[in-house]
Amino acid sequence: MSHPAIDRLLQGHAAFRDRWTQDDRDYLRQLASRGQSPDALFVGCSDSRVIPELLTQSAPGQLFVVRNVANQVPPFDHADSSVGAALEYAIGHLHVQHIVVCGHDLCGGVKAVAQGADVRELPSLHEWLAGVRVALAELPQAADAEVHLRAAVEANVAQQLDNLLTFRDVRAGIEAGTLHLHGWVYDLAGLSVRVFDPARDDFVPAGTLIKGGRPTGGGPLSRP
Ligand SMILES: [Zn+2]
């Protein structure tokens, strides 16, 4: 039985393969034989508009990704084994040097909590959003709804950075200088990223922190 949406996915994969260069093929085969050695663990939202590899122009092998509703990292004493397993594997086995928690403006999960929506008819979602409720518990109400939602998204990212510190391996990596945490917010409408700057205790436009030149384009894989 044919499903147009699934046919589109398979046709998309075929089109993707058609654009590969020989270098792309060599790179993918090397990845297959050598195994992965990603630079970062990326914790993002499941939202279909926020695609980590696309937004960061990362090739296969560069990002180890966890995506869930509202980019949550439940704290260790309330560990979610999916997120916890990815975290342990990324640090302990893959030796990633960076963890990026990336939220996004207009996040449905954060918005539901910020606006006090009742989602108990979706019991798993209601339970999952407990982490967002903690993040927003002490957030002052802004007069402007849009400003409040932006602040809520940022507070949610900041909370997940705090939650990461409840994991022993994260604390050990930071103390050893081998692991670094980063908080980002992707602005869907503005097409830009805000980055948490600990020195200012605030999110600032990513452009102010970028070091070095911008990467140049290549084949569809944007290989390193
Ligand atoms: Zn979201």
Side-chain angles (χ1 to χ4, degrees), residues 168-188:
R168 181 198 61 195
D169 290 353
V170 172
R171 290 196 304 275
I174 291 171
E175 283 165 18
T178 55
L179 184 66
H180 309 275
L181 307 187
H182 310 269
W184 293 6
V185 171
Y186 175 59
D187 178 349
L188 280 178

Side-chain angles (χ1 to χ4, degrees), residues 3-21:
H3 298 279
I6 302 304
D7 290 348
R8 187 193 63 73
L9 296 182
L10 293 172
Q11 285 162 5
H13 179 64
F16 177 58
R17 286 177 55 103
D18 286 346
R19 292 203 302 274
W20 286 349
T21 62

Side-chain angles (χ1 to χ4, degrees), residues 2 6 18 28 48 52 55-56 66 77 123 126 130 156 163 180 193:
S2 177
I6 302 304
D18 286 346
L28 289 174
S48 62
L55 293 175
T56 61
V66 172
D77 59 354
H126 176 76
N156 180 52
N163 290 354
H180 309 275
V193 168

Side-chain angles (χ1 to χ4, degrees), residues 102-116:
C102 182
H104 65 100
D105 290 329
L106 307 175
C107 182
V110 174
K111 189 176 177 183
V113 173
Q115 296 182 343

